[in-house]
Amino acid sequence: MNVGFAVRDESGVPADWNKAITNSPLGSIYTDDSSTLRYSPNDQQGLGQTENVLGAPTYTDRLKKYYTLNANFYGKVKLPFGIQYQVNFTPQFQWYQYYNHNSSGFKGSNWEVQGGLVHREHSDTYQWNIDNLLTWNHDFGDHHFEVTLLQNAEKYQFWSDLVNNNNFVPNDNLGYHNIGAGTNAVPSSNDEYGTGQAFMGRLIYSYKQRYLLTASVRRDGYSAFGDRYKWGTFPAVALGWEFTKEPWFKTDFLDYGKLRLSYGINGNRDIGRYVALSNITTGKYFHVGDDGTVESVSELYVANMANPNLQWERTAAYNIGLDFRMFNGILSGSIDAYKSKTTNLLVKRSLEDIIGFDYIWTNLGQIDNKGLEFQLTSQNINHSNFSWTSSFNFSLNRNKIVSLYGDKQDVLDANGNVVGQREPDDITNGWFIDHPLDAVWDYKVLGVYSEAEKDLAAKYGQQPGDFKIEDVNGDGKYTNDDKQFLGYKNPRYNLSLRNDFTFLKNFDFSFMLYAKLGAMATYNTAKNNSGFIDRSSYYDLPYWTVDNQINDYARLFSSDGGASYNVWRKTSFVRLATVSLAYSFPKEMLKKAQIKDLRVYFTVRNAAVYAPNWDFWDPEMSTPGPSPRNYTLGVNVTL
Amino acid sequence: MFTIHSNKYASKALLLLSVTWLCTSSCKKDYLDSKPLSFYTPSSTYNTAEGLKGALVACERNLRYNWSGDGAPEITQLTFSDIAVDGTDDKSGPAQNMDLQITPDAINSSNDNADHNRIFYFWHQGYADIKYANTVITYIDEPKWDTTDQTQLATRNDLLGQAYFHRSFRYYELTNEFGDVPWVGKLYNEPKLDFQTVDRTVILKQIQSDMQFAVKWVTDEGKAKGEVTKGACQHLLAKIDLALGDFDGAIKAATDLIDGGNYHLMTERFGQDASDGSKNVIWDLHQSGNKDIAVNKEALMLVIDKPDMDGKFDGGTQIMRQTLPYLGGGKIKTPMGNKGLSDKVDIPFSFSAVTGRGIGRCRPSWYAEKAIWADAGNDLRHAPGNWMKMEDFVYNEPSLKGKDPYYGKNLQLYEGNTILCSDTLREWFEFPFYKLYIADDINTPPRGGNGDWYVFRLAETYLVRAEAYFWKGELTEAAADINVVRQRAKATPIKAADVTIATILDERARELYYEEERKVELTRIAYIFAQLGKSYKGHTYSKTSFSTSNFWYDRVMECNNFYRNNTVTPHGDMYKISPYQVLWPVPQSAIDANTGAHINQNQGYSGAENNVAALTSIPTD
């Protein structure tokens, strides 16, 4: 039996980065008494984004804690014929508290006008898993058998309730401790329930530890799927051949080699518990009677479309792999290549507006994936006074939409004759047949209109200094015909390299680099037309002027003209993720002080990033803002 | 042989026991059933009259969006008309150069906000509310009515009639915004990709017949404010009749309403300020506390918004922020050349604390601000106290105190020949304060709090009937109806001989500013001109050249000086509008998504070359 208890405290109130950049560094953050915060250090009022960045952290009192209790009970029983029975029971509890008070003491803010705001939220989660396992191992000479049978059940239960209130009488001095003192309580609650079940059988057979066969079949059930489609069956088979164990295999350089081949179907159920159902959304509205009483009434509307046919996503994958070790362990690694076909992909499909539903959770036709993974570790130098180990990883994945909903459209030639059929793209969701899910399909920014291109710019309703968008068919308008596949949102190649050095016996030095190459992200900041740069602070970024006709940033307040486009930039980067130097004191020295181990280390995390095409915060962050660099100076002592 | 590898037999035994119990409970057949705990499902909701009413409440609540929030959709109705332009003149994005910015591609959800325009809202929300109404229409017989029982039949048909009202209201908007549009007549339970465009007249005829049903069954009695009344149905029917050129129908529907006895114009003082002698009935009519009270017999249909209650519109109506001049922009100087105004709330002479902080988003044209008031006389709608001029404000910048003799003095636009405001587009214009003020207890400086708004008001019914008489050439009756509205406001009556479509539109502008959906009404009238082949100021219109020559465009150019003069904003954007914009572009996303059939684009926009014939009957699938 194992039990773990943890408390996570997230009570800190972070400063809003967007406010920090718009606050004027020239205005005072305090009023004349030098201690009360001004609502805004910028003189102009009413612009919420120039609100004093210290306001929210100063005038918010927050308690936000997660308490988790994880346990694992297990018991093993030996049955006749070498059969072993094991039961695992893993209950998990989580309690969550989120109490927040936005004080009316923040003068000049909406919190003051609204008489203080309080949010009190509490939730309990209880989920458990139970596994009943039967295993049987046996050797018949060179034949080794392992059989496993599993029965599993799980349950998830969640209860939450929250109350919002404001306008506290006589005041909000009691913070979130007396929510009843507000005059505007809005209570709500949300409870959830979900169940799953599984059966699995697996056979492992090996001959002389040289040939390996694993065959298994799983049957999984999940409550979130449509009534007739709760269950999915997923078989898998894997073969292994440790060819270096063959008597005929004799080489000097290869110490170990194993070839792996597998085929299997995996299921995915990563969806919300109730997405297959059409849920009625409620909200309050008012009816006023003849006597003037305001009656609170509830709207009841259907937000999402039900899908009684929602079912398991299935991925059938082939994998071929090779593990190796060479030159007495100096080089080791593995290579894997895979190809998979995912059918019934679980997606939240946006629907066109006409039907009135925003979306439906559904199973999407077919996506093909292929990929390559490579891992290599080398012992470059191994001397008593100096050793150097390198480890390198490389991976790539390519996916392609093969089919969406199965409907077909005629393909016409220039004369309007039907020359074939193809499945239409789903532009609403940005899914295109024969393209990956993360394809970027947008107008292409060619650069910035120069002063010399004034007339050309005017043709598109723009001016020099605005971004020049490619008009592919030259019809003077921006339509779908002008959109192009510009790249991909996810990295095309992932690489990492770690080096470990030991020198002068007691020193360790290591660094880790990783790179993600080929992804694109939007960088509309280059348009220089967001925010109120005439009234509030903003980044000091390049901008086009007549005297400085640059090609990668537009003029201040540039116009989008008639195209709604994004500026896409490559985010490819190499990051020096960690650098670490450590010194371990010699054991002889420590003996006298009765210390077993003493180690001093200095580590820098996120030491450097190199991104040649990306010049706006961290290329890996989805929302712009600084990513911290951590310096750690530490001591490890073992007594 | 049976061994337990533990020295704690008791706890292990207990564990096994509990495990066995869990196992058996999980092996039940219904173990994997989905159990929704905190939300309702359609089958368990729409099987009672109460559930169906809840669906109607969704429609009522969504109608409130039309006039609420930052960049409220109503502003787009006004900027595509003779009344106003988007005055946000410090950035790229607001719809000013329509030729450039109003494209099928640019009308999308990410541009559907205060910084652009709300055309996409009218498309998206229109069809969303049609779905909510269709929920009632599709499930209407789920409650298993006994239709031989007259009371039950009346309840059923009243609910159905209210649903028809909401669906018809949105189709009335859509057909006068986008022309021919797809028809959705029921609730679908699976994705559909083969919607087809239906001829505008066919849709109007369908909603005319739906509203005839509604007028017959929906009651005024027993309806709370916020619900659909018979009066609202009669009013909408009159407007649909007008759109179809059925002027006799319009006159009949309007007359039934006016003479029905349940409504009348408010001509006497009433409500919260009734005893305040400095106010008047026009003031009373538009105070947010007076719209939903029983004594107000002019309100036909309201959207309700109450401060400090669950269900209020988040952030408030923000109406002053949208419609008042941007006094705090720093472009207004004293005659001494100093910055004249501060938008702080905690200073002497704070305007923000009194009228709220406007940003001049909805900037009235010269026509709406000045021309229609040229002969205002005693018109209460333009009387001091109700109507506000820039000169009513005073220089309040605190740093002026003791340094500038104009501190605390009234604003002036000129000192000799020198103009003192460098942005008169956004920062200098007059406005109907009596209508545009809603107290705000959630924003500082005030932006416009939560308050009710008129959807339909009997004054418009008179003007709808006046228009029907006008089209029939019965100018005496038309003038009489216009004068009912004018006389209530103490304005001088007009003569029958002077009645033109312009007279009616002028009166609508005076009476219904920021209430009527002006673009919808102008496009409706443009269709009538084209159908009748009538002329306006020397122009004659036809259906075939609708996208290149129409009344809507000529009216906008005649009255909206910003579009007519191609005014350039301080930001460098030009006000520009073209005849084909009489109809808005169908969002490209709708055409793209509908892969099984073709949805037509309006003439003048890219993609219209692929149009196919619109359906000439209501599709039944």
Side-chain angles (χ1 to χ4, degrees):
Chain A
M1 166 172 153
N2 293 314
V3 179
F5 180 71
V7 182
R8 194 163 93 238
D9 189 341
E10 293 181 1
S11 298
V13 181
D16 182 337
W17 180 251
N18 287 319
K19 289 183 175 127
I21 61 167
T22 51
N23 275 195
S24 168
L26 304 174
S28 168
I29 59 169
Y30 295 111
T31 58
D32 292 342
D33 66 6
S34 302
S35 63
T36 311
L37 283 180
R38 283 176 87 196
Y39 175 66
S40 165
N42 302 35
D43 279 346
Q44 197 188 29
Q45 205 163 7
L47 209 58
Q49 55 179 331
T50 67
E51 178 181 296
N52 197 322
V53 65
L54 298 176
T58 308
Y59 292 104
T60 301
D61 185 18
R62 183 175 295 172
L63 173 72
K64 187 177 181 186
K65 282 186 176 171
Y66 300 82
Y67 308 81
T68 35
L69 179 69
N70 294 325
N72 181 16
F73 302 89
Y74 61 93
K76 282 183 188 169
V77 181
K78 279 205 170 149
L79 302 176
F81 311 112
I83 297 172
Q84 181 169 282
Y85 167 69
Q86 181 174 342
V87 54
N88 296 325
F89 175 59
T90 46
Q92 283 182 296
F93 301 86
Q94 185 174 75
W95 300 273
Y96 170 64
Q97 263 182 316
Y98 178 41
Y99 300 162
N100 192 73
H101 170 224
N102 297 333
S103 170
S104 67
F106 187 16
K107 297 294 171 207
S109 72
N110 287 352
W111 298 351
E112 183 189 10
V113 184
Q114 295 174 25
L117 296 142
V118 169
H119 173 106
R120 261 181 98 95
E121 181 179 355
H122 176 256
S123 72
D124 300 331
T125 313
Y126 170 47
Q127 54 186 327
W128 53 255
N129 244 295
I130 182 164
D131 293 333
N132 287 299
L133 271 165
L134 285 173
T135 47
W136 175 74
N137 293 332
H138 205 80
D139 289 308
F140 298 99
D142 289 337
H143 304 271
H144 173 75
F145 290 89
E146 250 181 83
V147 176
T148 308
L149 297 172
L150 164 79
Q151 186 250 338
N152 162 281
E154 62 179 302
K155 188 185 273 190
Y156 172 95
Q157 285 165 283
F158 173 80
W159 303 265
S160 82
D161 36 69
L162 70 94
V163 184
N164 281 300
N165 210 339
N166 73 321
N167 211 1
F168 284 77
V169 176
N171 54 51
D172 62 336
N173 292 353
L174 298 179
Y176 53 67
H177 301 294
N178 184 357
I179 197 161
T183 56
N184 226 339
V186 181
S188 63
S189 63
N190 180 40
D191 297 348
E192 293 187 13
Y193 176 95
T195 47
Q197 244 180 317
F199 300 95
M200 192 269 285
R202 185 179 63 203
L203 166 72
I204 298 175
Y205 164 73
S206 68
Y207 177 65
K208 287 186 172 173
Q209 295 186 318
R210 199 182 301 162
Y211 307 103
L212 280 151
L213 165 78
T214 308
S216 66
V217 59
R218 265 190 88 96
R219 200 164 149 68
D220 277 284
Y222 187 42
S223 62
F225 292 114
D227 278 346
R228 286 180 297 137
Y229 300 96
K230 305 253 186 223
W231 289 93
T233 307
F234 308 104
V237 59
L239 299 168
W241 177 30
E242 205 177 314
F243 53 86
T244 39
K245 283 217 172 109
E246 292 288 354
W248 47 262
F249 191 89
K250 290 189 178 64
T251 53
D252 296 335
F253 65 92
L254 198 61
D255 315 334
Y256 167 79
K258 182 178 172 189
L259 203 58
R260 292 176 279 108
L261 196 64
S262 70
Y263 171 78
I265 299 176
N266 269 319
N268 176 22
R269 59 167 218 190
D270 189 13
I271 49 169
R273 273 167 210 97
Y274 297 122
V275 298
L277 303 176
S278 199
N279 64 339
I280 300 263
T281 306
T282 56
K284 293 280 190 263
Y285 188 61
F286 315 107
H287 284 165
V288 184
D290 268 357
D291 58 354
T293 48
V294 179
E295 186 198 350
S296 180
V297 289
S298 285
E299 59 170 351
L300 301 165
Y301 67 89
V302 193
N304 65 309
M305 200 176 254
N307 186 352
N309 300 321
L310 195 67
Q311 54 192 285
W312 285 84
E313 172 182 319
R314 298 168 73 82
T315 299
Y318 297 94
N319 188 90
I320 181 162
L322 172 71
D323 300 331
F324 59 88
R325 195 172 60 238
M326 293 192 278
F327 309 119
N328 294 319
I330 287 175
L331 268 184
S332 63
S334 64
I335 304 169
D336 277 276
Y338 60 86
K339 204 173 167 184
S340 70
K341 182 171 96 173
T342 303
T343 48
N344 292 333
L345 193 70
L346 289 167
V347 287
K348 183 178 176 180
R349 173 185 173 190
S350 299
L351 297 175
E352 65 174 322
D353 302 286
I354 297 168
I355 202 158
F357 292 95
D358 292 341
Y359 63 87
I360 181 171
W361 273 90
T362 189
N363 296 98
L364 191 120
Q366 183 185 337
I367 311 273
D368 285 358
N369 270 273
K370 56 190 175 185
L372 194 65
E373 283 166 17
F374 177 65
Q375 194 262 325
L376 186 67
T377 304
S378 78
Q379 185 65 256
N380 303 330
I381 296 171
N382 194 4
H383 283 293
S384 56
N385 266 340
F386 185 73
S387 75
W388 174 23
T389 314
S390 300
S391 155
F392 173 75
N393 281 287
F394 168 86
S395 71
L396 67 80
N397 175 287
R398 298 287 179 264
N399 73 69
K400 186 173 87 170
I401 298 173
V402 178
S403 166
L404 290 166
Y405 316 114
D407 48 335
K408 294 277 197 267
Q409 248 180 3
D410 287 342
V411 178
L412 308 178
D413 66 8
N415 302 320
N417 301 317
V418 177
V419 293
Q421 281 203 318
R422 76 182 292 271
E423 230 186 278
D425 299 323
D426 181 347
I427 295 175
T428 312
N429 288 287
W431 295 326
F432 301 89
I433 303 288
D434 289 339
H435 287 273
L437 278 167
D438 65 335
V440 174
W441 185 71
D442 204 339
Y443 298 112
K444 188 173 184 179
V445 176
L446 297 173
V448 178
Y449 282 115
S450 69
E451 197 62 12
E453 293 171 308
K454 195 170 185 164
D455 294 340
L456 181 62
K459 193 181 154 198
Y460 293 98
Q462 288 176 285
Q463 298 174 28
D466 293 337
F467 273 118
K468 178 160 65 175
I469 313 300
E470 186 170 12
D471 179 11
V472 175
N473 59 6
D475 65 352
K477 289 175 178 171
Y478 291 113
T479 64
N480 279 348
D481 296 339
D482 302 308
K483 289 189 180 170
Q484 309 176 41
F485 289 98
L486 301 177
Y488 312 93
K489 291 172 197 158
N490 295 321
R492 305 294 281 167
Y493 306 98
N494 292 298
L495 300 99
S496 76
L497 175 67
R498 185 189 163 93
N499 282 286
D500 284 277
F501 303 89
T502 316
F503 56 95
L504 301 174
K505 285 191 173 126
N506 296 323
F507 285 95
D508 301 312
F509 176 72
S510 70
F511 66 91
M512 214 272 268
L513 287 161
Y514 70 87
K516 293 187 175 181
L517 307 178
M520 293 185 109
T522 57
Y523 184 47
N524 292 326
T525 309
K527 293 183 185 180
N528 277 319
N529 66 3
S530 58
F532 294 97
I533 46 187
D534 57 334
R535 266 163 276 172
S536 58
S537 300
Y538 200 60
Y539 297 111
D540 182 14
L541 289 171
Y543 52 91
W544 184 98
T545 65
V546 177
D547 301 323
N548 179 30
Q549 301 197 18
I550 52 177
N551 213 26
D552 50 351
Y553 284 84
R555 70 188 163 101
L556 295 180
F557 302 110
S558 78
S559 166
D560 281 6
S564 19
Y565 68 98
N566 291 298
V567 179
W568 292 89
R569 293 271 160 88
K570 280 250 162 73
T571 61
S572 300
F573 68 92
V574 183
R575 185 189 302 276
L576 181 53
T578 53
V579 182
S580 184
L581 180 67
Y583 176 74
S584 303
F585 286 86
K587 304 243 176 199
E588 309 80 65
M589 218 166 102
L590 297 174
K591 261 184 189 162
K592 295 167 196 160
Q594 302 282 333
I595 297 170
K596 205 172 159 197
D597 272 312
L598 180 62
R599 187 163 174 269
V600 185
Y601 62 94
F602 179 68
T603 306
V604 186
R605 283 204 182 78
N606 186 21
V609 183
Y610 172 67
N613 300 310
W614 187 261
D615 189 24
F616 192 63
W617 299 116
D618 195 321
E620 214 174 355
M621 300 259 289
S622 53
T623 50
S627 54
R629 176 174 305 145
N630 298 315
Y631 298 90
T632 315
L633 183 62
V635 184
N636 286 339
V637 187
T638 314
L639 298 172
Chain B
M1 212 180 106
F2 192 82
T3 325
I4 296 174
H5 287 269
S6 170
N7 47 10
K8 293 178 185 165
Y9 290 94
S11 67
K12 282 289 160 76
L14 199 69
L15 171 69
L16 282 173
L17 215 73
S18 65
V19 157
T20 316
W21 175 76
L22 285 166
C23 171
T24 44
S25 76
S26 74
C27 296
K28 281 182 194 157
K29 232 182 171 180
D30 60 358
Y31 181 68
L32 289 178
D33 282 0
S34 194
K35 286 184 192 148
L37 301 174
S38 292
F39 61 89
Y40 302 94
T41 55
S43 55
S44 65
T45 305
Y46 297 130
N47 53 2
T48 63
E50 286 310 309
L52 295 174
K53 274 186 188 168
L56 290 173
V57 171
C59 296
E60 295 161 7
R61 188 179 190 256
N62 291 335
L63 200 50
R64 193 171 67 185
Y65 289 126
N66 278 23
W67 294 272
S68 303
D70 201 19
E74 170 71 4
I75 299 167
T76 300
Q77 292 284 342
L78 299 181
T79 58
F80 276 85
S81 84
D82 46 359
I83 295 285
V85 288
D86 190 322
T88 328
D89 59 8
D90 58 352
K91 58 184 165 197
S92 176
Q96 290 157 344
N97 185 338
M98 307 307 195
D99 293 2
L100 189 61
Q101 293 168 289
I102 307 307
T103 65
D105 197 38
I107 303 305
N108 57 48
S109 59
S110 56
N111 284 349
D112 182 24
N113 52 43
D115 290 335
H116 295 83
N117 63 74
R118 306 302 302 279
I119 294 175
F120 186 81
Y121 163 87
F122 285 103
W123 179 268
H124 173 90
Q125 195 63 49
Y127 280 107
D129 283 343
I130 286 167
K131 182 193 73 174
Y132 301 140
N134 279 334
T135 307
V136 177
I137 294 163
T138 302
Y139 285 100
I140 189 67
D141 285 323
E142 282 302 301
K144 309 282 174 259
W145 311 95
D146 175 8
T147 46
T148 57
D149 176 330
Q150 284 309 305
T151 320
Q152 287 202 34
L153 181 68
T155 309
R156 173 196 184 272
N157 290 351
D158 193 339
L159 285 172
L160 186 58
Q162 293 181 58
Y164 283 151
F165 171 87
H166 287 292
R167 189 168 76 178
S168 304
F169 183 94
R170 290 303 187 182
Y171 271 118
Y172 178 76
E173 284 181 335
L174 286 166
T175 52
N176 291 307
E177 290 163 343
F178 303 94
D180 300 342
V181 292
W183 171 264
V184 184
K186 66 170 189 189
L187 192 67
Y188 287 94
N189 53 21
E190 53 186 43
K192 177 176 164 69
L193 301 173
D194 56 354
F195 287 103
Q196 284 173 276
T197 305
V198 180
D199 181 80
R200 173 179 177 269
T201 311
V202 172
I203 293 177
L204 286 170
K205 282 197 175 134
Q206 176 64 47
I207 62 174
Q208 181 188 42
S209 112
D210 289 345
M211 287 318 293
Q212 284 163 349
F213 176 91
V215 163
K216 190 173 163 200
W217 289 99
V218 176
T219 61
D220 282 320
E221 296 73 24
K223 291 287 159 59
K225 304 284 182 178
E227 288 189 281
V228 175
T229 59
K230 177 175 185 164
C233 293
Q234 289 168 311
H235 185 84
L236 181 57
L237 175 59
K239 294 174 76 148
I240 294 166
D241 287 340
L242 265 189
L244 279 165
D246 177 3
F247 306 124
D248 292 327
I251 291 166
K252 181 180 185 302
T255 305
D256 287 349
L257 169 54
I258 290 166
D259 296 345
N262 288 332
Y263 301 94
H264 60 75
L265 286 200
M266 297 307 290
T267 52
E268 304 297 329
R269 298 295 311 276
F270 72 102
Q272 59 189 28
D273 302 323
S275 57
D276 180 348
S278 68
K279 306 295 185 198
N280 48 64
V281 67
I282 290 292
W283 173 273
D284 293 337
L285 188 59
H286 290 283
Q287 299 316 296
S288 61
N290 287 352
K291 290 176 186 169
D292 65 351
I293 55 180
V295 65
N296 184 335
K297 293 294 183 194
E298 187 165 332
L300 303 174
M301 172 87 196
L302 287 166
V303 284
I304 312 287
D305 194 5
K306 299 294 177 196
D308 300 332
M309 284 185 72
D310 187 10
K312 69 182 179 185
F313 190 87
D314 255 1
T317 57
Q318 305 213 25
I319 186 161
M320 290 100 82
R321 176 176 158 86
Q322 314 307 314
T323 57
L324 267 54
Y326 184 24
L327 297 178
K331 307 278 174 63
I332 294 171
K333 304 271 194 275
T334 70
M336 306 296 285
N338 297 314
K339 175 175 177 270
L341 290 166
S342 164
D343 57 9
K344 297 208 155 121
V345 291
D346 52 353
I347 53 169
F349 310 118
S350 168
F351 65 81
S352 283
V354 181
T355 63
R357 180 181 180 275
I359 64 159
R361 194 190 300 288
C362 183
R363 196 328 177 169
S365 61
W366 176 264
Y367 163 77
E369 186 195 355
K370 302 273 194 184
I372 53 174
W373 304 108
D375 304 315
N378 294 326
D379 196 328
L380 290 174
R381 296 167 298 191
H382 199 259
N386 282 350
W387 186 267
M388 270 191 97
K389 300 184 175 184
M390 293 300 291
E391 290 80 2
D392 298 332
F393 294 98
V394 298
Y395 295 110
N396 72 344
E397 168 59 43
S399 64
L400 297 177
K401 195 177 179 184
K403 284 199 300 191
D404 189 318
Y406 288 90
Y407 178 67
K409 300 258 169 64
N410 291 73
L411 305 192
Q412 57 190 77
L413 185 56
Y414 290 96
E415 174 71 0
N417 288 326
T418 311
I419 191 160
L420 300 174
C421 174
S422 59
D423 182 359
T424 53
L425 172 67
R426 194 179 186 186
E427 308 198 3
W428 198 280
F429 58 84
E430 306 176 2
F431 56 93
F433 180 65
Y434 68 95
K435 187 183 269 191
L436 301 178
Y437 180 79
I438 296 178
D440 188 343
D441 67 349
I442 42 179
N443 300 295
T444 178
R447 295 173 164 211
N450 301 97
D452 307 338
W453 206 253
Y454 292 116
V455 178
F456 288 152
R457 184 155 68 79
L458 193 67
E460 193 195 11
T461 317
Y462 282 97
L463 298 176
V464 164
R465 192 169 66 177
E467 191 188 323
Y469 283 129
F470 161 76
W471 291 116
K472 291 188 70 182
E474 295 169 14
L475 301 187
T476 310
E477 289 79 0
D481 276 343
I482 296 169
N483 285 334
V484 170
V485 176
R486 286 184 65 76
Q487 278 163 339
R488 187 267 300 273
K490 310 259 185 297
T492 49
I494 57 153
K495 296 190 196 76
D498 294 339
V499 173
T500 65
I501 193 70
T503 329
I504 295 163
L505 283 170
D506 294 353
E507 203 55 45
R508 292 185 69 99
R510 290 184 200 102
E511 184 67 24
L512 302 169
Y513 178 70
Y514 216 80
E515 289 180 66
E516 64 167 330
E517 301 193 311
R518 186 77 171 185
K519 185 262 176 260
V520 162
E521 298 301 313
L522 286 184
T523 300
R524 172 181 62 73
I525 292 169
Y527 270 116
I528 298 175
F529 268 108
Q531 279 155 15
L532 301 181
K534 281 219 175 192
S535 71
Y536 175 72
K537 302 204 169 166
H539 289 93
T540 311
Y541 306 102
S542 74
K543 278 158 100 174
T544 47
S545 59
F546 192 61
S547 67
T548 50
S549 165
N550 57 67
F551 169 77
W552 170 83
Y553 176 72
D554 291 341
R555 175 75 186 173
V556 172
M557 291 308 265
E558 176 194 345
C559 299
N560 197 320
N561 51 310
F562 298 106
Y563 293 122
R564 183 176 65 240
N565 299 335
N566 291 138
T567 307
V568 176
T569 69
H571 178 259
D573 300 305
M574 183 185 283
Y575 288 106
K576 225 172 160 188
I577 206 159
S578 290
Y580 67 90
Q581 288 147 9
V582 63
L583 295 176
W584 287 336
V586 171
Q588 187 63 40
S589 56
I591 297 171
D592 291 343
N594 196 61
T595 50
H598 187 71
I599 293 175
N600 286 347
Q601 183 55 277
N602 285 315
Q603 294 301 324
Y605 302 101
S606 55
E609 64 278 8
N610 301 323
N611 283 1
V612 297
L615 294 183
T616 51
S617 62
I618 292 290
T620 48
D621 67 324

